Amino acid sequence: MTYGYGVRRAHAWPQRLAEQMQCPVENAGVSGDTTAGMLARFAARDKTVRYTHLIVMGGSNDLIMGLSVEQPLAHLRTIIYQAVQSGMEPTVGIPVKPGRDVREFALFTQDKYDMLEQGRAALKEGLLEFSASGICKVIDFHDFIEGQADVYLDGLHLNEKGNRLVSEGLYGYAKRTTTQTAGEQTKAE
């Protein structure tokens, strides 16, 4: 989702957020990736770049592949621990709920849709429980699009409008909770 599947890179929420915040935001997302891939990329990142904040969101692809919710939770926890050890202020995003139109694809039967919804709820619960220690902040990305029409390309991926709403929501959140020093980078995974 962070990658911006189906929308031009300039319209994906990380780029929009960079424009709103007037600071660099690196979009490290890879379309179709799992949290295992995210963890591998995060561990191999360029450590000479000084990131101050990390926004990490993942788990949907893990759940679609039928993996236990414990796997993405473990990977996301590890990414958060590594971010803190590197001096970053981490925020973990809870993926958006699947849209009803995702069931139009042969891949998504009603059972698969229900499994993804239940997995997302369990992922949310696990991330909220993990964040209760104060190690990271948690944002439910679905809150930014709740009640809005026409925000999905295909029921899984956000269109330009959905990405705009997410960037606006994150910008408002950032303005309320942090100050960003000019020239410091935020990494979006």
Side-chain angles (χ1 to χ4, degrees):
M1 243 179 261
T2 301
Y3 173 78
Y5 174 85
V7 297
R8 288 182 301 187
R9 213 53 175 179
H11 294 159
W13 69 259
Q15 181 60 35
R16 289 177 178 269
L17 183 62
E19 292 167 7
Q20 293 168 304
M21 297 290 294
Q22 297 180 353
C23 71
V25 174
E26 180 184 332
N27 184 349
V30 173
S31 185
D33 203 6
T34 63
T35 55
M38 293 167 60
L39 175 57
R41 279 195 320 284
F42 187 75
R45 74 191 179 284
D46 181 356
K47 297 187 179 63
T48 63
V49 178
R50 183 176 174 259
Y51 297 104
T52 59
H53 295 80
L54 171 72
I55 302 169
V56 60
M57 178 189 59
S60 294
N61 289 330
D62 301 69
L63 297 171
I64 289 168
M65 294 172 138
L67 300 176
S68 160
V69 74
E70 289 307 315
Q71 288 184 297
L73 280 172
H75 296 143
L76 292 168
R77 286 183 201 119
T78 302
I79 291 169
I80 295 301
Y81 285 132
Q82 290 180 6
V84 169
Q85 290 173 348
S86 298
M88 295 180 216
E89 184 178 314
T91 300
V92 64
I94 298 166
V96 297
K97 296 176 184 176
R100 289 281 173 198
D101 50 344
V102 77
R103 292 176 296 172
E104 294 173 10
F105 294 97
L107 172 69
F108 274 86
T109 62
Q110 182 66 44
D111 289 344
K112 188 94 163 181
Y113 177 87
D114 292 342
M115 180 194 71
L116 184 55
E117 280 253 317
Q118 292 164 3
R120 181 196 176 276
L123 184 66
K124 179 177 181 174
E125 182 180 332
L127 291 171
L128 289 171
E129 189 176 297
F130 174 66
S131 72
S133 68
I135 192 167
C136 65
K137 297 173 183 156
V138 176
I139 301 174
D140 189 337
F141 277 46
H142 196 79
D143 291 347
F144 302 137
I145 65 165
E146 186 77 51
Q148 297 289 324
D150 302 321
V151 295
Y152 293 101
L153 287 170
D154 55 13
L156 285 177
H157 303 94
L158 297 177
N159 60 20
E160 286 185 24
K161 177 182 177 182
N163 274 272
R164 180 180 49 78
L165 291 169
V166 167
S167 70
E168 289 170 358
L170 287 171
Y171 178 69
Y173 172 81
K175 294 293 281 184
R176 288 188 307 274
T177 60
T178 65
T179 56
Q180 182 85 21
T181 305
E184 294 179 333
Q185 260 188 321
T186 295
K187 184 173 185 79
E189 182 73 52

